[in-house]
Amino acid sequence: CLEPVIVIMSVRRVPWVTSNHSRPMAKSHARRHLGRLHTRTRMGSDGDFVPSFAGGISPERFAANSLKRMITHAAARIVLKQMEGIAPQTGTGKSADPGAADVNAPHHHTDAERNIANRQKLLQDMLTDVPMGADPNEWLLELARKDGLLAVRVAEARKGYCQDGFGWDDVRRLCSEDVDTDNQTLLQAIMQEQYGGSDKQQSAQ
């Protein structure tokens, strides 16, 4: 664990020098070099070495990718919910008020209403039948092939939810609380396995 620390510190001290120290390195190239280095070897806040995941990505990037997929899914559901109040309803029934219009009477939907209903069904089918997968942009591109404006609307909803709607502080708090609780539960289970079992064996003897 100590060797990567020494490497990182030495690179920081001479950031604009190549590996053979033969000539100065361009600053832009050096920044890219340092960026690649920190994705492979870096230090956590407590000084522990943090290895990269498969593909050379950091744990934070891995988590960000997962959150982006979840936020995209949430944005699609937000747009779907918005359209539910606009799309024409197909339910039937009679009003208790004799003077009210018969809701069973045929209703001629406008082109706008039919367009919204079709988009609502398309988005619902996409959420139900098409897995979002690792890259939510691929899912949005598939939606765009069917309805470009609807895909743009979901993308804009994703941006707004990410910036203003999603509770980032709550995620950190909940994750920290869950880790603390799970660690306590795990420690108790380990202690029970290690010492509870031996006590039972001794009492049985």
Side-chain angles (χ1 to χ4, degrees), residues 11-129:
V11 173
R12 284 178 175 173
R13 288 173 182 172
V14 285
W16 316 125
V17 178
T18 58
S19 57
N20 57 8
H21 304 283
S22 60
R23 66 181 184 277
M25 184 188 301
K27 289 187 177 182
S28 59
H29 179 69
R31 291 193 184 98
R32 290 195 298 270
H33 175 73
L34 286 174
R36 290 193 298 269
L37 176 64
H38 289 310
T39 59
R40 296 194 301 269
T41 58
R42 65 185 189 84
M43 303 302 296
S45 59
D46 57 355
D48 292 333
F49 171 66
V50 182
S52 61
F53 283 21
I57 65 174
S58 66
E60 290 80 6
R61 167 49 61 187
F62 185 87
N65 290 343
S66 299
L67 282 170
K68 183 173 65 173
R69 183 168 62 252
M70 184 277 299
I71 288 174
T72 303
H73 190 275
R77 295 180 64 84
I78 289 171
V79 172
L80 183 65
K81 190 66 177 179
Q82 291 172 346
M83 290 191 295
E84 285 181 359
I86 304 175
Q89 303 299 312
T90 58
T92 59
K94 284 194 174 182
S95 170
D97 184 1
D102 187 357
V103 296
N104 284 321
H107 173 69
H108 300 286
H109 301 306
T110 65
D111 291 340
E113 289 176 328
R114 284 191 293 269
N115 185 36
I116 293 173
N118 291 336
R119 284 180 167 171
Q120 181 184 9
K121 184 178 185 305
L122 170 61
L123 187 55
Q124 181 63 67
D125 291 344
M126 284 286 296
L127 285 169
T128 303
D129 302 331

